[in-house]
Amino acid sequence: MSIQTKDVLRLATIGSVDDGKSTLIGRLLVDTRQLFDDQLDAVAEASERRGVGDLDLSFVTDGLRAEREQGITIDVAYRYAATPTRKFIIADCPGHVQYTRNMATGASTADLALAVVDVAAGLKEQTRRHLCIAALLGVRNLIVAVNKMDRVEWSDAAFLAVADQVAAVSNELGFASCEVIPVSALLGDNVVDRSDASPWYNGPSVLEALEATHAGDPSTTTQGARLPIQWVLRQNGGGRTYAGMVNGATFHVGDKVTLLPAGIETTISALRLGGADRTDAYAGLSADIDLVAETDAGRGDMIASEPLPTVTKEFDATICWFGEKPMTPGQRLRLKHTSRSTPARIVQLDGLVDIEHLNVGPSDQLTVNEIGLAKISCADALVVDEYQVNRATGSFVLVDEVTNATVAAGMIGRPSFL
Amino acid sequence: MASPSTTLTNHLDILESHAMFILREVAAECERPVLLFSGGKDSAVLLHLAAKAFAPQQLPFPIMHVDTGQNFDEVLEYRDWAAEHYGARLIVASVQESIDQGRVADPGPMGSRNRLQSVTLLDAITDNKFDAAFGGARRDEDKARAKERILSFRDSFGQWDPKAQRPELWNLYQGRVNSGEHLRAFPLSDWTELDIWQYIEREEMKLPTIYFAHEREVVFRDGMWLAVGRFVEPKPSETIESKIVRFRTVGDANCTGAVLSKAATLADIVAEVSVANVSERGATRADDKFSETAMEDRKREGYF
């Protein structure tokens, strides 16, 4: 069989309104020939009808009627691109502050944040806010496209001034890598190919930087393997098999594991995918696990290898609040963590995060799009890791019990920069 | 099939496992899910993944075909074969019945029944008390689909509100709905057309024969080659020609165009799709050519 093997890099675009995020993604897709002729024709037609020039590249991603009418991005648009060795899943995120929940949706699964900054405007508060949320959500790699360089006649001084601002913020937030690139999304300079317009710049183009970034979760050497049980499969002839997605490190047949929260120590007797036997199961794989011990484990329980996660009913967490009504101490909500749902209560609010100064101040409530530190108590015990160690077992959402709306994203522990 | 490895680095493995995860999560969280099955390649992949996710058990939900009454015979044959092969319980919701009951107006023998499907689909969801419906839609198909969550909430009128979608962080798919509301779940959201074909090739899946190159009588109409048959009768000005064609998507016989192609095997199709310069919907679907927001408008009304 001749299937090319590609890995998958998930990225989220972030930045302030009007800095040119959607145009940059449009440019990347056009110049890497990811768009079909009829899709390009449709963009050109829509541009002409609305009187915004020959080809408004932002129309490639702004697909909703309201978005085109208002010229803004409301919700995440997912786009796909591929090079011979890599598939890119691009979450093009909205810039407006009232759509922060949508930006967080796009960033929560991203390996990399691609930020766009207007060289003339510098690093705006909204962009700082998004960089902070991306760092909070565990995005480790950062590429910053300093855009509209054609408007400042490709001044290296103007670029370096923004690059210094970016480097300072990146250091503060603890990104593992940060690449700053001068571009013109409109004209395509340094987007796919390196441009002659910036002879003073020796770094990669945006696409080259994207291809050089490590895909998937970072090193898993300090993590144990985890399988939150989603579903119990009954084998023909009796046995029980536990199905779910592996995260953290790798499971092997014969590994000593612990079933939590019960604390039963046992051994993996078989691993399968879709009924076919295999010898190991690594992060991201939807695996089926047979255990030596006979147990009555079910959905919401977890199979884990050392170092083991913590079993707890109360923990400290960082909360991004999306609800229209404020969050207050004492409030009761439903919490979903891995495959387990439980009633939960906000025990206390320990502070409100000031995104601009990266410090924590006192507050008695969290309003929409605010980030805070809180203590949470659950009716049922959860099996957790710190979010900084494991995104899957360290994250949860809070759900309004009446409307069933998702009103908050939560991360167990505190980010390193606070 | 699954070769030993230390990391998940193959895009088909990553997409497959993610889709299986979504299928299991929704099946566990919702009371009465259903898998929407058209007999097209995307729903064929979806059914194949569902069978893998719950092997060796039977599927924990039925599959449902919204039958417009204007399908290609080859697709109906495949539908019945697939239901039997995967051991799935098949429900057929009929657009013709909706017309007969006066729920929707009859567009006439040559008219498109595409938009009418929404009514039949929503009626079937209500009648069967389904609270979740899996669909094979992909985000690369259309700009409105590109905006939709993997779990997409529908109110009690079946409507999608693109301006007020639920936040959907990490792999935490939150499927709680109140009575009368339901979810659409799209496990193939992150797959592209090429991913679908590569996966079908890898899994050696069977598909309706019309996807592969064959000789057929066609007429050229509205920029597309339409198959002459019960649902497409040539107009006096049109000439019937015999061409080697295949279908890139499977919709109603009267609005799905064929493409001129000699791709007769899965390997041929993968090669053809990887160098295509027209999108599958642009090439073959008259129903998407009405306006720049045709898909968004239909989705708001409850379409797939």
Side-chain angles (χ1 to χ4, degrees):
Chain A
M1 258 183 288
S2 60
I3 295 168
Q4 286 177 323
T5 300
K6 299 180 204 285
D7 63 5
V8 175
L9 183 83
R10 291 176 174 271
L11 66 124
T13 66
I14 59 176
S16 187
V17 63
D18 294 335
D19 283 359
K21 280 193 321 291
S22 296
T23 307
L24 179 71
I25 295 305
R27 173 58 68 188
L28 256 178
L29 295 175
V30 170
D31 287 4
T32 52
R33 303 190 51 78
Q34 304 295 329
L35 286 187
F36 295 116
D37 292 349
D38 55 310
Q39 293 171 325
L40 268 181
D41 289 348
V43 169
E45 235 174 76
S47 304
E48 194 186 335
R49 193 156 54 240
R50 295 185 199 276
V52 289
D54 293 341
L55 191 65
D56 185 337
L57 289 171
S58 70
F59 280 14
V60 173
T61 54
D62 288 342
L64 298 175
R65 187 187 296 278
E67 292 177 324
R68 288 169 183 235
E69 284 165 4
Q70 296 166 34
I72 57 164
T73 307
I74 291 172
D75 214 326
V76 186
Y78 289 89
R79 294 289 156 183
Y80 304 87
T83 61
T85 56
R86 180 162 277 188
K87 174 182 167 92
F88 295 99
I89 299 180
I90 305 166
D92 186 24
C93 298
H96 283 79
V97 68
Q98 68 263 41
Y99 305 122
T100 299
R101 62 177 186 275
N102 299 335
M103 182 260 158
T105 291
S108 67
T109 53
D111 305 312
L112 175 140
L114 173 59
V116 183
V117 176
D118 180 343
V119 63
L123 201 55
K124 295 176 190 164
E125 193 198 328
Q126 179 63 14
T127 308
R128 283 182 60 99
R129 182 183 175 83
H130 279 181
L131 288 174
C132 178
I133 293 169
L136 205 67
L137 287 167
V139 179
R140 294 177 51 79
N141 304 294
L142 177 63
I143 295 174
V144 179
V146 178
N147 192 23
K148 307 191 187 182
M149 286 299 297
D150 51 307
R151 299 250 190 104
V152 296
E153 280 140 14
W154 290 91
S155 153
D156 57 341
F159 169 73
L160 289 171
V162 177
D164 284 348
Q165 283 182 309
V166 168
V169 172
S170 167
N171 272 339
E172 227 176 344
L173 293 172
F175 282 100
S177 74
C178 175
E179 194 78 62
V180 191
I181 305 169
V183 310
S184 167
L186 192 66
L187 304 174
D189 296 279
N190 290 330
V191 175
V192 170
D193 298 316
R194 297 189 195 191
S195 169
D196 296 335
S198 51
W200 40 266
Y201 173 74
N202 299 315
S205 70
V206 173
L207 183 65
E208 287 170 339
L210 286 173
E211 287 199 289
T213 302
H214 179 82
D217 279 334
S219 162
T220 54
T221 50
T222 58
Q223 290 177 297
R226 314 277 183 254
L227 183 119
I229 297 172
Q230 281 188 286
W231 190 272
V232 180
L233 297 163
R234 318 263 158 179
Q235 294 296 334
N236 303 326
R240 290 159 63 88
T241 294
Y242 304 104
M245 186 183 274
V246 179
N247 62 73
T250 304
F251 285 115
H252 308 86
V253 173
D255 279 358
K256 300 269 177 229
V257 292
T258 305
L259 181 66
L260 295 165
I264 299 164
E265 292 178 24
T266 180
T267 303
I268 294 178
S269 57
L271 289 168
R272 279 183 293 275
L273 173 81
D277 283 312
R278 46 188 304 130
T279 54
D280 59 9
Y282 34 78
L285 200 80
S286 278
D288 307 342
I289 296 185
D290 287 0
L291 298 176
V292 170
E294 283 192 25
T295 74
D296 62 350
R299 179 173 166 81
D301 294 338
M302 194 183 295
I303 297 166
S305 69
E306 307 239 354
L308 291 180
T310 308
V311 177
T312 179
K313 285 188 172 183
E314 194 165 289
F315 50 86
D316 292 317
T318 309
I319 306 284
C320 299
W321 187 254
F322 306 132
E324 294 302 327
K325 286 186 222 152
M327 182 196 96
T328 50
Q331 193 169 350
R332 218 187 108 110
L333 295 149
R334 179 157 282 273
L335 182 150
K336 182 172 184 189
H337 169 262
T338 65
S339 50
R340 175 165 289 203
S341 284
T342 169
R345 181 174 285 117
I346 311 294
V347 178
Q348 67 185 56
L349 182 58
D350 294 323
L352 172 71
V353 176
D354 176 346
I355 298 272
E356 188 150 13
H357 304 97
L358 298 184
N359 56 31
V360 181
S363 176
D364 51 10
Q365 64 173 30
L366 284 186
T367 60
V368 62
N369 295 321
E370 283 187 335
I371 295 161
L373 305 175
K375 194 176 289 319
I376 293 183
S377 158
C378 300
D380 303 328
L382 299 182
V383 185
V384 304
D385 288 294
E386 290 271 317
Y387 185 76
Q388 298 296 318
V389 178
N390 187 320
R391 264 173 154 181
T393 52
S395 59
F396 59 90
V397 292
L398 295 173
V399 179
D400 185 297
E401 291 194 303
V402 177
T403 64
N404 291 321
T406 304
V407 289
M411 289 152 281
I412 290 160
R414 290 185 177 200
S416 52
F417 53 83
L418 286 178
Chain B
M1 193 60 63
S3 56
S5 168
T6 49
T7 47
L8 200 54
T9 52
N10 178 295
H11 66 294
L12 296 179
D13 289 337
I14 293 169
L15 293 169
E16 174 186 67
S17 276
H18 188 213
M20 288 168 66
F21 178 85
I22 296 161
L23 284 155
R24 286 168 171 171
E25 202 60 14
V26 172
E29 291 236 320
C30 296
E31 300 280 325
R32 292 175 67 85
V34 64
L35 187 149
L36 303 177
F37 185 76
S38 68
K41 66 186 187 311
D42 301 308
S43 62
V45 167
L46 192 59
L47 180 56
H48 183 83
L49 288 163
K52 270 195 159 182
F54 299 100
Q57 285 180 211
Q58 297 280 92
L59 290 189
F61 40 75
I63 65 175
M64 182 164 78
H65 179 222
V66 178
D67 183 357
T68 59
Q70 296 177 335
N71 295 285
F72 289 97
D73 292 336
E74 295 90 333
V75 176
L76 294 178
E77 266 167 42
Y78 175 77
R79 176 195 75 184
D80 295 339
W81 171 86
E84 198 184 322
H85 177 76
Y86 291 107
R89 183 163 71 85
L90 173 68
I91 299 170
V92 177
S94 158
V95 172
Q96 186 61 49
E97 277 176 28
S98 300
I99 293 171
D100 295 345
Q101 290 162 1
R103 294 280 293 134
V104 291
D106 190 342
M110 301 301 279
S112 170
R113 293 183 168 187
N114 186 297
R115 210 163 175 150
L116 309 185
Q117 293 180 90
S118 300
V119 173
T120 307
L121 172 62
L122 292 175
D123 285 352
I125 285 173
T126 306
D127 293 347
N128 290 283
K129 297 192 172 59
F130 292 130
D131 57 355
F134 293 107
R138 311 187 321 265
R139 285 171 173 154
D140 75 326
E141 282 179 86
D142 175 88
K143 53 197 178 299
R145 290 213 198 280
K147 296 265 168 178
E148 194 163 12
R149 298 280 191 262
I150 288 173
L151 257 60
S152 184
F153 175 78
R154 302 302 164 101
D155 65 17
S156 58
F157 297 97
Q159 296 192 102
W160 177 55
D161 182 357
K163 287 177 84 171
Q165 299 197 83
R166 284 182 180 174
E168 185 171 79
L169 289 96
W170 302 291
N171 275 352
L172 287 170
Y173 299 107
Q174 197 270 101
R176 296 175 74 89
V177 294
N178 286 321
S179 174
E181 302 166 345
H182 73 276
L183 290 173
R184 300 289 172 84
F186 302 112
L188 306 181
S189 287
D190 287 334
W191 298 53
T192 62
E193 185 190 12
L194 183 58
D195 296 331
I196 292 284
W197 282 112
Q198 287 181 331
Y199 187 75
I200 290 167
E201 185 188 20
R202 185 183 88 168
E203 301 287 303
E204 297 172 351
M205 285 171 55
K206 195 173 156 183
L207 282 186
T209 52
I210 62 169
Y211 277 115
F212 303 93
H214 57 285
E215 192 170 348
R216 190 179 277 266
E217 291 197 328
V218 289
V219 291
F220 196 69
R221 184 185 298 170
D222 301 332
M224 292 189 306
W225 293 101
L226 294 179
V228 175
R230 258 181 303 154
F231 307 111
V232 177
E233 285 168 19
K235 296 173 182 169
S237 60
E238 292 169 341
T239 343
I240 298 179
E241 297 178 63
S242 187
K243 298 273 184 192
I244 304 291
V245 298
R246 68 177 201 88
F247 290 85
R248 226 172 124 186
T249 66
V250 165
D252 279 6
N254 65 351
C255 69
T256 303
V259 291
L260 301 179
S261 165
K262 295 197 164 56
T265 66
L266 287 170
D268 293 345
I269 293 174
V270 167
E272 184 182 278
V273 169
S274 46
V275 297
N277 55 16
V278 177
S279 78
E280 59 178 12
R281 288 200 164 256
T284 62
R285 295 296 270 271
D287 40 334
D288 291 327
K289 291 190 174 170
F290 298 129
S291 79
E292 62 173 295
T293 52
M295 180 65 87
E296 180 183 347
D297 296 341
R298 275 179 295 160
K299 286 190 81 68
R300 279 171 176 273
E301 292 169 1
Y303 191 72
F304 299 101

